[in-house]
Amino acid sequence: MTMMLSKKSIEYNFSRIFALIFGLTLYLATTAVFAQPSQRLLLSDDIIAETQQLSVREQLDVINNINTQSSADAKTLIDSLEQQHAKQPLANIDALRLTLLHCFNLLEFGEFNQAIVLAKQGESNARQFKYDTARPYFMQCQAAAHQSLGNTLQEQQLTEEALRLAKRYSEKQAIVNSLYARSRQNTSLENYNTAIEDLRFALDIFDEAQTQFQDWYILPKSYLQAEISNVFFSMGDIEEALHFAELTYKDSSTFGKLKFAFAINLARINMVQNDKAQVLYYLNKAETENNKNTSERDFATGNALLASIHLYVGDYNIAEKLALSSIELFTKYQEPIYVMRIKRTLAKVYFAQNKDNQALSLLNEIIEQATELEQFSDLEEFNQVISQYYAEQNQFESAYQFQVQRFDAAKQATAKLNNAHFMQYKARITAQSEASTPPEKPVSNINQNLTITALIILLLSVGLVLFLARKPQRLNSVNAQEEDQQQRIDNMLDNAKQGHYQLSMLLININHNNIVDIPFIIPRLKNTLREQDQLFRHNTNELIIILPHASSVGAARVITQIEQVLGEWKSEIKVNIGMASLQQLDTFEVLVKKAVLNQLNKIKSQEKSNSPDEN
């Protein structure tokens, strides 16, 4: 009896210990979630003074949330923390995040080369401090800088490598950032469907990314919505472009510089629709925000955009003044491509003011400059403007001459676009080949921080050493099993690519209420499959089926069979099956992403069909 009582007492103590551990973990996790700065603070007129009253980590959160909206305030806070760090060093993780935020802040001020240097230094520090999960973020800052400098290949390679590392370390904030960057690349390359796919997946995981345990850096949600609008606008779908532009404008992350930029987007979309009343409405909103700018470079950008809108509504003198101001500032910042494009707007203003000689002189100047800089898309447009002018003046020989130059520029722009396509594929292949090499020796993850340290101490203090000592053997077995499964999947994908035959994958998501049924579901599914098909357990409530030599049509038939078999066995079983077909450059992660998107699209379609008709 005494031994039985002791055993019960031990079991009771163990249950209390684990309850305490669970409570502590939950507390620390939820503390991170609720530590996000409030909207009131972000919109405060005295944001710098209020933020400096917060802890270092809370200040870093604020900087992340205002960097693209109120860059000057973010810079002031960064400078203050760097001065504090010089006097009394911050914790490694805080110092690393401060460097990262500084890097992204430099991009807002056009300091692209300085950002590249700082990003490389930050990635080196991340390796030194053994916070490898920070590396993809520094790569993203580098990629953005290279994009602004026109270094397309470096931008694409860094973006693909950042995305690969983000997936490896399950850094959802980095995944969102990389998908956004890649979608912009695909839009410029006219790969619109791929761009939309990346953006929608980024939106799907955005809320989870925001509550990631360790914050690093995440773009505002409105960036994703704005880029979706941009893709639809580029495709000529003005209605969808307008819908997402309006969503963007109303998003809580849209304030400061972003409020201005998205008001301009709405004005330009309404220009295409010839809705002058709406153009004037958003022009007024944009001017209100632009007047709040404290950065010269932001003011230059704002004036350039406003000039084009004023030209449309017929305010020629205002448009001229704004364009000249913008040209002066961008000349000061030595950004010739921006200067060249604003001069195009100014030339159109001169034509509207009947200052034809000044307009023609300006156009000839920027045509020569675009040719020198090999900006063929700009060159095509400049030649079109001047050709159209001569045609309206009945000077058809001159109009024809510039039209020939326009077609030649278009041909070279197409060649440059094809070369960019090639570089993108090269960047992806490079990233994939690096991913196939043996992984580096495991390093400490960012999540091995004070929380885990506290838990380990707590576990040791209550005598669970023996339990933990037996754990590695089982973990090694599980890890080996997972690696073997992944290797088998990768081999099936590689064989399909090398053999040039079709392969499809099914991702089966089982409702949490039915997880206990999985051991009974698996044999029933296997009986439905062919001999060459393979079924794998992906995680707690997901199964994966690889279907070699199966097209999307064949995979759809398998889905129907699975749903029928499970429905006959237990009608209340709820599963959601996504399907993806293998393309030559796809990895396993890409296939999973495609299957998840297929699941989401099915859910949205079902919700739409089940919703009552609106009157």
Side-chain angles (χ1 to χ4, degrees):
M1 178 66 72
T2 303
M3 289 183 65
M4 289 180 65
L5 287 173
S6 298
K7 184 178 179 181
K8 287 182 179 179
S9 177
I10 291 170
E11 289 175 350
Y12 175 73
N13 287 333
F14 265 90
S15 65
R16 292 188 65 186
I17 290 165
F18 282 111
L20 179 60
I21 293 170
F22 177 79
L24 178 61
T25 306
L26 184 63
Y27 168 76
L28 291 169
T30 53
T31 299
V33 172
F34 292 112
Q36 297 296 325
S38 69
Q39 192 70 9
R40 183 208 61 78
L41 172 60
L42 299 180
L43 298 175
S44 170
D45 291 332
D46 199 13
I47 188 172
I48 294 174
E50 289 189 44
T51 301
Q52 288 175 335
Q53 303 302 313
L54 304 175
S55 68
V56 169
R57 295 199 175 186
E58 288 171 329
Q59 289 187 55
L60 294 171
D61 288 338
V62 172
I63 293 168
N64 185 141
N65 280 273
I66 67 170
N67 183 53
T68 53
Q69 297 92 330
S70 306
S71 309
D73 290 337
K75 184 180 186 304
T76 300
L77 291 168
I78 288 169
D79 291 344
S80 174
L81 283 174
E82 287 183 338
Q83 291 171 11
Q84 181 180 334
H85 179 53
K87 295 176 182 177
Q88 184 176 355
L90 305 176
N92 285 344
I93 191 170
D94 294 334
L96 201 58
R97 191 180 181 201
L98 179 59
T99 301
L100 178 67
L101 293 171
H102 188 180
C103 184
F104 280 105
N105 186 254
L106 287 171
L107 299 178
E108 298 294 320
F109 292 93
E111 302 288 348
F112 306 124
N113 288 312
Q114 191 176 340
I116 291 171
V117 171
L118 191 61
K120 289 179 179 179
Q121 178 188 331
E123 191 185 351
S124 175
N125 290 342
R127 289 178 182 272
Q128 179 185 344
F129 297 153
K130 300 195 182 301
Y131 287 127
D132 272 31
T133 48
R135 288 173 55 204
Y137 300 93
F138 286 107
M139 289 180 180
Q140 287 161 356
C141 187
Q142 274 195 75
H146 280 297
Q147 186 270 331
S148 297
L149 292 169
N151 303 329
T152 306
L153 180 58
Q154 293 94 320
E155 175 208 357
Q156 291 173 345
Q157 287 178 332
L158 285 162
T159 299
E160 291 297 330
E161 179 62 8
L163 183 56
R164 184 183 73 81
L165 285 180
K167 290 177 178 177
R168 176 182 175 185
Y169 297 123
S170 297
E171 285 290 316
K172 291 186 177 179
Q173 292 184 356
I175 291 173
V176 167
N177 299 340
S178 291
L179 289 174
Y180 168 78
R182 194 168 72 175
S183 73
R184 295 196 68 185
Q185 294 168 13
N186 278 311
T187 301
S188 68
L189 298 176
E190 300 178 7
N191 297 330
Y192 300 127
N193 290 335
T194 305
I196 287 289
E197 183 180 303
D198 278 345
L199 289 165
R200 283 182 171 160
F201 184 62
L203 276 174
D204 287 334
I205 66 170
F206 187 86
D207 289 343
E208 293 178 58
Q210 265 198 316
T211 57
Q212 182 175 293
F213 189 82
Q214 171 57 50
D215 283 313
W216 285 110
Y217 181 78
I218 186 169
L219 291 166
K221 187 176 184 178
S222 53
Y223 263 47
L224 304 175
Q225 295 167 328
E227 187 57 24
I228 291 178
S229 174
N230 181 41
V231 176
F232 280 121
F233 188 80
S234 302
M235 293 169 65
D237 191 339
I238 305 303
E239 186 177 340
E240 281 295 299
L242 185 60
H243 168 71
F244 278 99
E246 288 171 344
L247 281 181
T248 302
Y249 190 72
K250 296 172 185 174
D251 192 88
S252 61
S253 64
T254 299
F255 57 91
K257 289 195 302 182
L258 295 189
K259 200 75 173 177
F260 165 80
F262 299 150
I264 288 288
N265 283 351
L266 280 162
R268 295 174 76 174
I269 293 172
N270 281 290
M271 282 168 57
V272 175
Q273 293 193 309
N274 289 319
D275 189 339
K276 191 170 181 179
Q278 284 294 94
V279 173
L280 289 170
Y281 173 80
Y282 285 111
L283 173 60
N284 179 260
K285 295 289 186 184
E287 286 182 321
T288 300
E289 295 298 331
N290 193 53
N291 290 333
K292 298 176 184 176
N293 274 330
T294 55
S295 162
E296 264 193 348
R297 190 175 182 279
D298 292 340
F299 202 65
T301 304
N303 285 349
L305 294 168
L306 288 170
S308 64
I309 310 296
H310 277 288
L311 172 61
Y312 170 81
V313 299
D315 299 332
Y316 303 135
N317 291 336
I318 297 175
E320 179 185 10
K321 182 180 178 181
L322 290 168
L324 288 170
S325 169
S326 185
I327 289 168
E328 181 183 355
L329 289 171
F330 275 121
T331 301
K332 173 183 174 181
Y333 283 97
Q334 299 181 349
E335 298 193 38
I337 293 176
Y338 285 112
V339 171
M340 181 177 68
R341 289 170 181 168
I342 301 161
K343 285 182 177 179
R344 171 200 57 198
T345 301
L346 183 58
K348 290 181 178 181
V349 173
Y350 285 154
F351 278 136
Q353 294 173 322
N354 297 315
K355 300 176 182 177
D356 293 3
N357 290 335
Q358 288 176 262
L360 290 171
S361 174
L362 207 54
L363 283 168
N364 282 309
E365 176 190 326
I366 61 177
I367 284 173
E368 184 179 342
Q369 190 176 7
T371 304
E372 183 181 343
L373 295 173
E374 297 186 346
Q375 294 293 318
F376 300 116
S377 295
D378 290 315
L379 189 59
E380 179 187 0
E381 186 178 348
F382 299 162
N383 279 293
Q384 170 61 16
V385 172
I386 200 168
S387 175
Q388 184 178 348
Y389 165 77
Y390 281 122
E392 290 172 354
Q393 301 299 313
N394 296 324
Q395 299 181 33
F396 298 113
E397 186 175 339
S398 295
Y400 175 76
Q401 177 189 344
F402 282 100
Q403 200 65 239
V404 169
Q405 290 180 202
R406 176 201 168 198
F407 287 131
D408 183 56
K411 183 178 177 181
Q412 294 182 78
T414 301
K416 190 174 181 180
L417 184 67
N418 290 336
N419 185 48
H421 275 289
F422 172 74
M423 288 192 290
Q424 185 185 54
Y425 290 135
K426 182 179 178 182
R428 291 187 181 183
I429 289 169
T430 300
Q432 288 169 7
S433 64
E434 289 176 358
S436 64
T437 59
E440 303 171 2
K441 185 178 179 181
V443 294
S444 299
N445 193 289
I446 193 66
N447 290 332
Q448 293 174 339
N449 49 28
L450 292 176
T451 304
I452 293 179
T453 304
L455 294 178
I456 291 174
I457 293 171
L458 184 60
L459 290 169
L460 290 174
S461 67
V462 294
L464 293 179
V465 178
L466 292 176
F467 171 75
L468 292 174
R470 293 196 304 271
K471 188 95 171 178
Q473 185 176 358
R474 179 175 174 273
L475 282 177
N476 290 336
S477 174
V478 172
N479 289 337
Q481 186 177 359
E482 288 179 353
E483 288 175 7
D484 177 63
Q485 174 175 300
Q486 188 61 53
Q487 187 62 52
R488 287 166 61 196
I489 293 173
D490 290 341
N491 288 341
M492 294 180 77
L493 302 189
D494 290 341
N495 290 339
K497 292 177 184 178
Q498 293 169 12
H500 299 286
Y501 59 80
Q502 294 178 313
L503 178 144
S504 293
M505 186 188 81
L506 304 182
L507 178 65
I508 305 176
N509 187 282
I510 298 167
N511 189 284
H512 288 282
N513 295 329
N514 301 120
I515 288 178
V516 293
D517 293 317
I518 288 182
F520 306 101
I521 290 173
I522 290 175
R524 284 172 171 78
L525 293 181
K526 286 183 176 180
N527 289 335
T528 310
L529 304 175
R530 303 167 300 172
E531 184 177 349
Q532 66 265 38
D533 300 333
Q534 295 291 320
L535 184 147
F536 303 95
R537 185 78 176 263
H538 189 224
N539 56 36
T540 309
N541 66 322
E542 286 184 333
L543 303 173
I544 279 178
I545 297 176
I546 305 293
L547 304 170
H549 302 284
S551 65
S552 57
V553 176
R557 284 198 294 266
V558 175
I559 291 174
T560 302
Q561 292 170 4
I562 289 172
E563 290 173 340
Q564 183 178 349
V565 167
L566 294 181
E568 291 175 354
W569 172 59
K570 187 181 281 190
S571 59
E572 66 270 19
I573 285 284
K574 295 186 182 300
V575 296
N576 186 16
I577 306 177
M579 183 268 291
S581 294
L582 180 70
Q583 302 297 321
Q584 193 63 28
L585 295 178
D586 286 347
T587 61
F588 172 66
E589 290 80 9
V590 171
L591 277 182
V592 171
K593 182 186 76 172
K594 287 182 176 179
V596 170
L597 283 169
N598 184 248
Q599 286 178 334
L600 293 169
N601 288 334
K602 285 181 179 179
I603 292 171
K604 290 174 183 176
S605 297
Q606 290 170 1
E607 289 175 350
K608 190 173 182 180
S609 61
N610 293 333
S611 62
D613 294 336
E614 294 181 1
N615 295 323

